[in-house]
Amino acid sequence: MKRRTFLAAGLSLPLAISGVLPRRAHSETIADSPGYDTQSEAFVRDMQRRCYRYFLEAVDPKTQLVADRAAADGSNYSLHASSAACGFGLASHAIAAQYGWAPREVIHNRVRTMLRSLLEFVEHERGFVYHFFDIKTGKRALRSEASSIDTALMLAGALSASVAFQDDSEIGQLTDQLYNRVEWSWLLGENGCLHMGYRPEIGILPHQWDQFSEHLILSLLAIGAPSNPIPPSSWEAWRREPVLTFNGQEFLSYPPLFVHQYSMAFFDFQNYRAPSGRSFWQNSQIAHRAHIDFLKKLGEKYPERLGHYGADLWGITSSDSQFGYRDWGGPYQNDRVEPDREIDGTIVPSAAAGALAVLPQEALHTLAIQKGRFGEKIYGHYGFVNAFNPANGWVNPDVIGIDTGISLVMAENMLTGGLWNLFMQHPAPQRGLKLAGFTPTGTTVLTSSK
């Protein structure tokens, strides 16, 4: 069971300062690559500004808590907020302030208000915030779980904002209080793996982060926590599986692409290797290439309904579909090319937008084609819609906060490394990496295990 299993299936709505983030040192950005041009950057910047509207508009004006989803035309938003969307909102504010996308003091006030809301009245269990909660009152919503991974994503955004607004001591203090109150060890199993969460009806969920998934950010923030941390040995506790192979290269896999993006959005894994020498950044790149190849082969095998899949149109990750929410992706197994989990031809733009920093040329290529071919049907007030299906003309009327957020922040990482620069300046991620045994690239000897 993965975090998105908890999302309400197919919920439909009734409906500054000048200056820029410094270009990142020691790593390539899209501007360094042969195919880069200013038109591409203009497109990405336009997408970012549209995505940022979401975190200005799809919020409660009094609490600043971020709606889980909204109508793509901006006409309405859900009355339940998402803790992970709040995290992406805080990260997006941190980026926006550098460019004056809104007056800096307005952004300051929004960040302070959201952090106060998260601290003072959003429901939590021993510091673990509920996955969904009422956007006005903070009360638990949709019978959701107090979620370990969503709490980590919320905190990652808060840590990034605390660095961006170092001149505001209240933002730093609120962030510290949110982080320090989490009793990480409460959800730690005897096997050293964290549980996914807690529900009042059943207690601690039996499901654990015991194999490869999106929990890298959770494990490292829990290990590096200033209060109630879990032991560094927990990093070695989860199984390094499932393992797939693409073009002769093994990689850890879980099919929806967001698994290979969320931790990468904050932790600068380009410049670090795990204790064994594994590069999780390279793992993500291989997983993305395998995904593109998988969809291309699906299109070749089933041309009538999936023939549009290929280098021009690719990208599926957990999203809405015409018939409800789907936890889809691929590949699922070596040498298996089948539309598992009801793959029906849907394209999820955030799958490619979340890959902008990982495979910039491939991601830019498909996003430009998606926008050019389908235009305003899929690209509007908040950027790209959550999903659409070229085979039958279906277009999702909604956008989802976390998908809008990953699109914005990974675009920034592609262009400047901006979110990496902010997040990695905070001592917590540095402490987590060091305690878990990570080393900067160039100082490790590659081996083959964890």
Side-chain angles (χ1 to χ4, degrees):
M1 180 179 292
K2 303 298 173 184
R3 66 178 293 275
R4 296 219 180 183
T5 305
F6 294 113
L7 284 166
L11 278 176
S12 58
L13 296 174
L15 336 169
I17 65 169
S18 61
V20 297
L21 291 160
R23 188 166 298 283
R24 185 168 179 274
H26 310 305
S27 298
E28 293 184 2
T29 62
I30 185 61
D32 302 313
S33 63
Y36 173 79
D37 57 54
T38 55
Q39 186 175 2
S40 297
E41 181 169 351
F43 163 49
V44 173
R45 288 299 187 200
D46 180 72
M47 183 194 73
Q48 283 184 295
R49 293 292 297 271
R50 291 169 186 252
C51 289
Y52 187 56
R53 284 179 184 159
Y54 186 92
F55 300 105
L56 293 175
E57 299 176 0
V59 299
D60 181 79
K62 291 184 178 179
T63 67
Q64 286 300 306
L65 298 174
V66 180
D68 170 50
R69 59 171 61 219
D73 63 3
S75 62
N76 205 343
Y77 56 80
S78 64
L79 297 181
H80 63 278
S82 153
S83 46
C86 287
F88 279 114
L90 290 166
S92 297
H93 286 315
I95 293 167
Q98 312 298 319
Y99 297 108
W101 291 347
R104 188 173 177 86
E105 188 52 39
V106 169
I107 297 176
H108 262 228
N109 289 335
R110 285 173 175 262
V111 170
R112 280 193 295 264
T113 300
M114 193 196 308
L115 289 170
R116 283 194 214 105
S117 299
L118 288 167
L119 182 68
E120 294 174 2
F121 62 85
V122 168
E123 274 198 88
H124 67 94
E125 301 291 338
R126 304 194 189 193
F128 291 97
V129 178
Y130 278 92
H131 193 152
F132 299 119
F133 39 84
D134 188 279
I135 201 167
K136 295 182 180 295
T137 67
K139 298 295 184 184
R140 177 194 181 207
L142 305 179
R143 292 175 60 84
S144 63
E145 81 289 1
S147 169
S148 54
I149 184 61
D150 292 275
T151 297
L153 291 168
M154 178 200 73
L155 288 172
L159 295 174
S160 303
S162 72
V163 173
F165 303 111
Q166 295 179 61
D167 55 334
D168 190 320
S169 59
E170 185 180 2
I171 288 176
Q173 291 168 4
L174 291 168
T175 297
D176 289 345
Q177 290 178 67
L178 279 169
Y179 199 2
N180 288 334
R181 77 179 183 180
V182 182
E183 297 181 30
W184 301 99
S185 57
W186 178 54
L187 289 184
L188 189 67
E190 293 183 359
N191 60 353
C193 296
L194 285 161
H195 288 263
M196 292 188 181
Y198 168 92
R199 292 182 65 194
E201 295 82 5
I202 63 173
I204 292 176
L205 301 178
H207 310 291
Q208 287 186 296
W209 301 109
D210 56 4
Q211 66 177 39
F212 177 76
S213 193
E214 73 264 33
H215 65 89
L216 306 186
I217 190 170
L218 164 64
S219 297
L220 290 170
L221 286 182
I223 290 169
S227 301
N228 312 305
I230 62 175
S233 59
S234 294
W235 179 256
E236 308 293 345
W238 54 276
R239 302 187 305 279
R240 271 56 179 176
E241 58 182 47
V243 177
L244 298 183
T245 302
F246 175 69
N247 280 351
Q249 295 178 294
E250 289 188 344
F251 67 101
L252 294 171
S253 177
Y254 185 73
L257 276 188
F258 83 90
V259 166
H260 302 280
Q261 297 171 353
Y262 280 22
S263 294
M264 308 297 149
F266 293 93
F267 274 95
D268 178 15
F269 284 118
Q270 286 185 87
N271 286 336
Y272 288 88
R273 289 189 181 272
S276 65
R278 182 188 297 279
S279 168
F280 283 99
W281 179 255
Q282 291 176 5
N283 193 86
S284 178
Q285 290 181 312
I286 298 168
H288 279 79
R289 292 190 178 104
H291 177 77
I292 298 170
D293 183 71
F294 168 72
L295 290 184
K296 178 183 176 182
K297 290 177 178 176
L298 269 182
E300 293 169 349
K301 189 171 183 178
Y302 299 100
E304 289 189 8
R305 55 196 177 102
L306 305 177
H308 54 277
Y309 282 153
D312 289 348
L313 291 176
W314 62 266
I316 52 175
T317 187
S318 301
S319 73
D320 286 348
S321 76
Q322 188 173 2
F323 303 105
Y325 202 83
R326 297 287 184 267
D327 186 39
W328 48 20
Y332 290 87
Q333 300 174 25
N334 284 330
D335 303 319
R336 178 175 172 81
V337 181
E338 295 296 337
D340 295 319
R341 300 199 185 188
E342 303 177 89
I343 293 174
D344 63 357
T346 294
I347 296 286
V348 186
S350 67
L356 280 167
V358 182
L359 294 182
Q361 292 183 338
E362 295 89 336
L364 274 171
H365 178 74
T366 186
L367 289 172
I369 286 180
Q370 289 175 38
K371 178 177 180 289
R373 189 173 297 178
F374 302 101
E376 294 179 356
K377 291 181 180 179
I378 68 163
Y379 188 77
H381 190 69
Y382 296 132
F384 287 101
V385 297
N386 176 250
F388 66 100
N389 192 329
N392 60 21
W394 173 78
V395 176
N396 189 3
D398 287 0
V399 296
I400 295 178
I402 52 177
D403 296 332
T404 302
I406 193 66
S407 300
L408 189 159
V409 303
M410 285 299 250
E412 190 60 38
N413 281 337
M414 178 191 74
L415 292 170
T416 71
L419 184 56
W420 290 324
N421 283 336
L422 292 172
F423 180 74
M424 294 300 292
Q425 286 183 57
H426 196 282
Q430 297 287 348
R431 187 167 54 242
L433 287 167
K434 183 177 181 180
L435 289 171
F438 280 72
T439 52
T441 52
T443 65
T444 56
V445 177
L446 293 181
T447 60
S448 62
S449 64
K450 304 232 174 31

